[in-house]
Amino acid sequence: MKVMAVNGSPRKTWNTATLLTKALEGATSQGAETELIHLYDLAFTGCTSCFACKTRDGKSYGRCAVKDGLMPILKKVEAAEALILGSPIYFGNVSGEMRSFLERLLFPYFTYTDPPQSLFPRKIATGFIYTMNVTEEMMKEWGYEQVFANNQRLLQMVFGSSESLWSCDTYQFRDYAKVVADRFDPEKKARRRREVFPRDCEKALAMGARIAQNGNK
Ligand SMILES: Cc1cc2nc3c(=O)[nH]c(=O)nc-3n(C[C@H](O)[C@H](O)[C@H](O)COP(=O)(O)O)c2cc1C
């Protein structure tokens, strides 16, 4: 059982990466082999609209034909039994790199038939972890849940099953005194980090274990 995680934050040890690492720990507890990929280590673009993946009788039908740093990762997904994505929220959506990754990951498997179908050859379990500055109330008020629901729907459609987890009001800066960010109360942020973030880590751990258990269902 191979469980892959993909980090859509440029930071390799911060909120998103920490939660993904916890999720992989959960997967390991179920006997899975795991790997964490950092998207910002790779040179790649979003979908180039070449349509090689949609060309009738084409040799790349159902597969992304773009040859860049993402190619080996997309191959690994083909062989994985579970996939966990993670992204910070940047201006109300996932990071640009995660967005580009999603285009390349999903579009080749997603057919323009009516109804749409998936060309992914198996069913695998997937999950998405989001981290953000806003509180849970603001997340709801600003419609972020719609973004999460849309990604969940697409992942379910292509891969079979998907669940979402979010961590709000994250600790963003190493030292709040050094940045111009008067909107945030550093003490409140530190308290949240101490008291709530560990609970989010537990949720990520449980999610990883569940996803590893559900593998190819
Ligand atoms: C370019 C940029 C845009 C951001 N936009 C938002 C936003 O729209 N909403 C939000 O809640 N947080 C926003 N944030 C904060 C991050 O989502 C938050 O700090 C996140 O936990 C960072 O993840 P990381 O620690 O894994 O890098 C933004 C951060 C950056 C750098």
Side-chain angles (χ1 to χ4, degrees), residues 7 9-11 14-17 87-93 131-134 142 144 167 170-172:
N7 178 22
S9 167
R11 306 198 289 179
W14 278 72
N15 298 287
T16 313
S87 181
I89 293 299
Y90 285 178
F91 296 110
N93 213 309
T131 75
M132 68 212 83
N133 233 333
V134 295
W142 292 1
Y144 290 5
S167 178
T170 52
Y171 201 77
Q172 189 175 9

Side-chain angles (χ1 to χ4, degrees), residues 54 61 107-119 157:
K54 305 263 174 284
Y61 185 71
F107 193 62
Y109 297 129
F110 188 92
T111 66
Y112 275 149
T113 49
D114 189 14
Q117 285 173 341
S118 174
L119 295 173
M157 202 261 137

